[in-house]
Amino acid sequence: MTITLDNGTLRLTVNPDVGGAVVRFDRLTERGPEPLMRPGSAGEHDPNRLAMYPLVPWSNRIGGGGFSWRGQHYSLATNLPGEPLPIHGDGWQRAWQVEECDDTRLLLALRSREQPPFDYRAVLTYRLAGDTLEVTLAVTHLGEAPAPYGLGLHPWFPRSAEVRVDAAAEGVWEVDADQLPTEWRRLSAGEAWDFSRGAALPERKIDNLFTGWSGQAVLRWPERGVTLGVSADTSRYLVFSPGLHADFFCFEPVSHEVDAHHGVDPQRQGLLELGTGECHSMRCRFRCLLS
């Protein structure tokens, strides 16, 4: 079952049963709907073939078969065929319940206790306001033992030869063969991964986390006359694309660094420890700008 929001300027189609994912996000034009994210189909059951999904209770990968927290070890099973590490938590693979809905706003909720120590209730809100899609993701910990939480959004965008990404950052994490971080380095002006003044995507694969972000980015498709502003209340984003011939790329605002659960200082790397009843949230806006 899909649900469509429409404010006359933008149209959003969501499938609560498939990870609460966005199926399509379009601006409405005289020529018809213009995709602002990579469009999916209403019958698709794989979130990785849709337009965007939530990341909760963590973003990206966790190494080592699990992690330890406050002296207790927690094992985590892999959850994606072909992927050797647990990835993105479980929110993107579960059905969400519709709690509120009108023409321009949809509120979804998820109760999960399948991956100890994560025992939580998440709330995902989509809202259309003028030329902007606002997405809010919040999680409340319900377990007795404190647990570290992270959040993010995983949008998929169409990749073209002309697309440009403008998102200034201070540094980037290099990764190993499992896409786990190995070394942080400061970005140099003009290098292939320097998006501070707007740049094309690198020709080779990129699946790396950037830090020191202002929370403001602009994505441009000049050949289509489409410009999308992205703003988030976080200082980190991840860029993913398999390479030059891929038809997509991902620009993911996230609250914490990859595998921060094994970091020297996990909370400084963005994880937030929640006690019973405590909440963590993030907000992101996607604004269709005039080109």
Side-chain angles (χ1 to χ4, degrees):
M1 175 193 71
T2 61
I3 295 173
T4 298
L5 308 183
D6 190 325
N7 69 350
T9 300
L10 301 173
R11 180 178 295 159
L12 185 80
T13 301
V14 177
N15 192 333
D17 296 330
V18 183
V22 172
V23 177
R24 291 188 63 110
F25 175 41
D26 303 299
R27 69 171 177 174
L28 303 178
T29 74
E30 294 180 354
R31 302 180 302 277
E34 175 77 37
L36 298 175
M37 294 177 180
R38 181 194 65 178
S41 63
E44 179 59 63
H45 295 288
D46 181 357
N48 281 319
R49 295 184 179 276
L50 296 178
M52 181 171 66
Y53 53 76
L55 306 177
V56 60
W58 78 81
S59 159
N60 212 268
R61 297 164 177 85
I62 296 179
F67 67 98
S68 296
W69 197 259
R70 289 184 173 257
Q72 177 70 41
H73 182 76
Y74 299 97
S75 298
L76 295 172
T78 58
N79 59 330
L80 181 64
E83 171 60 56
L85 303 174
I87 187 168
H88 297 328
D90 67 338
W92 67 293
Q93 295 179 316
R94 298 193 180 278
W96 293 60
Q97 302 301 311
V98 178
E99 294 214 336
E100 298 178 20
C101 183
D102 59 30
D103 290 343
T104 60
R105 181 175 177 271
L106 173 63
L107 189 152
L108 304 176
L110 172 66
R111 178 72 175 94
S112 175
R113 56 170 73 88
E114 304 302 316
Q115 294 177 312
F118 305 109
D119 182 348
Y120 68 90
R121 182 178 188 268
V123 175
L124 174 63
T125 305
Y126 296 108
R127 184 174 75 95
L128 299 181
D131 58 4
T132 300
L133 164 64
E134 180 180 278
V135 185
T136 303
L137 179 60
V139 61
T140 300
H141 180 56
L142 301 176
E144 294 183 4
Y149 283 84
L151 300 172
L153 293 176
H154 199 309
W156 302 73
F157 298 103
R159 177 168 180 164
S160 65
E162 293 82 8
V163 69
R164 294 293 183 271
V165 177
D166 187 334
E170 292 179 0
V172 63
W173 278 96
E174 299 286 359
V175 297
D176 61 18
D178 290 328
Q179 297 303 132
L180 294 177
T182 56
E183 181 181 7
W184 182 90
R185 66 174 178 83
R186 188 171 297 277
L187 289 163
S188 301
E191 69 166 275
W193 290 2
D194 174 24
F195 299 113
S196 62
R197 291 186 174 87
L201 292 163
E203 293 187 359
R204 295 184 178 181
K205 178 181 178 180
I206 182 171
D207 192 358
N208 297 76
L209 184 125
F210 293 74
T211 65
W213 178 39
S214 68
Q216 303 290 326
V218 179
L219 311 179
R220 294 183 174 89
W221 294 265
E223 76 281 11
R224 293 197 293 136
V226 173
T227 301
L228 190 67
V230 182
S231 61
D233 54 3
T234 179
S235 61
R236 301 171 179 89
Y237 67 81
L238 193 141
V239 176
F240 168 54
S241 188
L244 180 63
H245 300 294
D247 61 359
F248 72 86
F249 73 99
C250 301
F251 182 90
E252 308 163 39
V254 295
S255 69
H256 67 91
E257 296 173 16
V258 177
D259 201 31
H261 305 74
H262 290 114
V264 174
D265 190 343
Q267 295 190 75
R268 191 172 182 179
Q269 291 175 252
L271 290 176
L272 186 63
E273 182 182 76
L274 299 182
T276 306
E278 292 184 326
C279 183
H280 179 28
S281 67
M282 71 172 290
R283 180 174 297 174
C284 186
R285 293 180 175 91
F286 301 90
R287 184 184 179 194
C288 185
L289 303 172
L290 295 176
S291 297

